[in-house]
Amino acid sequence: MIVERLRGVDRVSVQELVEATESSDMTIRRDLDFLAAQGVLKRVHGGAVPAMASGVEPPYSLRAQAAVAAKRAIARAAVEHIHDGETIVLDSGTTALEVAKLLHDRAVTVMPLSLHVAHELADAPRIRLLMPGGEARRGELALVGPLTVASLRALRFDLAVLSPCAFSLDAGLTAFDLGDAEVKQEAMAVAARSMVLADGAKWDRAALAYVCPADYPDLIITDPTAPEDQRTLLAQRGVLVEVAALEDAS
């Protein structure tokens, strides 16, 4: 039952499994530990997430349908930190696309690192759109390679908005693709400040390519499912951590 539940969601909690099975807290934790040892899932604070191979990237179409409410809430919180007149480099992740949807009427300059984001902003009347060079990754349409890096190095931005593939206190920000990780690193290097958008399903995970330490960004915006103890630890390290309120929260 635990395995079946994890096939349809990004995270299960010990409490919900206790209620669903009418088993004890100790029994559920023991079962989760057993399944983690078999590589079926990964234990996280208060529950478990599906095991994720660090070198296998889920298709963009599937990621675009996952945690939609959380991503939209994070995007709403993110645009509150974007001011008219600013120059922004906007990442290629699905959460960054949600940010782009909210920027249509804003007077900002944006360099998109994805053709998905570029298409979203192409007809925005007040957006100044700066297109980098580079190779569009098949399926992802994220822009990578030496031309993209060169485009970034030629400019300076007020803000880099990043949406990493995975995030953890130990592994930091990570990406599945080596070229994507390089572009993310360069975006942060040429921006005065950096904002990371990571919904709770991305926490306690690691992908293949290292981007930066967990405490490097100036601001991390997440949702209420992100582990509270880790949010506290990041705040103690000097990172501003903001929890976006979901629309249906009351």
Side-chain angles (χ1 to χ4, degrees), residues 117-187:
V117 173
H119 182 265
E120 182 64 37
L121 295 175
D123 60 353
R126 303 177 69 198
I127 295 284
R128 181 188 183 193
L129 198 61
L130 302 179
M131 288 302 301
E135 177 183 358
R137 293 177 59 212
R138 191 177 302 277
E140 293 292 310
L141 299 186
L143 296 167
V144 297
L147 291 177
T148 310
V149 172
S151 297
L152 287 166
R153 287 178 178 170
L155 300 169
R156 292 295 179 268
F157 297 88
D158 295 308
L159 174 66
V161 180
L162 299 183
S163 177
C165 303
F167 177 83
S168 78
L169 291 185
D170 294 332
L173 276 69
T174 51
F176 290 103
D177 182 77
L178 296 175
D180 185 39
E182 182 184 26
V183 168
K184 284 173 165 53
Q185 289 174 339
E186 196 61 45

Side-chain angles (χ1 to χ4, degrees), residues 1-2 5 12-32 46-47:
M1 188 277 290
I2 293 173
R5 283 207 167 207
V12 292
S13 69
V14 170
Q15 186 56 41
E16 70 181 83
L17 293 174
V18 167
E19 294 172 359
T21 62
E22 298 184 350
S23 302
S24 69
D25 180 281
M26 185 177 296
T27 296
I28 293 298
R29 292 182 186 277
R30 185 165 58 243
D31 288 346
L32 290 177

Side-chain angles (χ1 to χ4, degrees), residues 63-119:
R63 301 202 318 274
Q65 298 172 25
V68 174
K71 290 173 182 176
R72 288 176 178 170
I74 290 169
R76 289 194 300 272
V79 296
E80 294 298 319
H81 295 274
I82 296 174
H83 310 294
D84 283 356
E86 287 194 314
T87 56
I88 304 157
V89 53
L90 190 53
D91 201 10
S92 58
T94 54
T95 312
L97 180 59
E98 295 297 331
V99 173
K101 294 175 182 178
L102 300 177
L103 288 177
H104 271 243
D105 297 322
R106 300 291 299 275
V108 291
T109 297
V110 179
M111 177 177 277
L113 298 178
S114 155
L115 295 185
H116 289 297
V117 173
H119 182 265

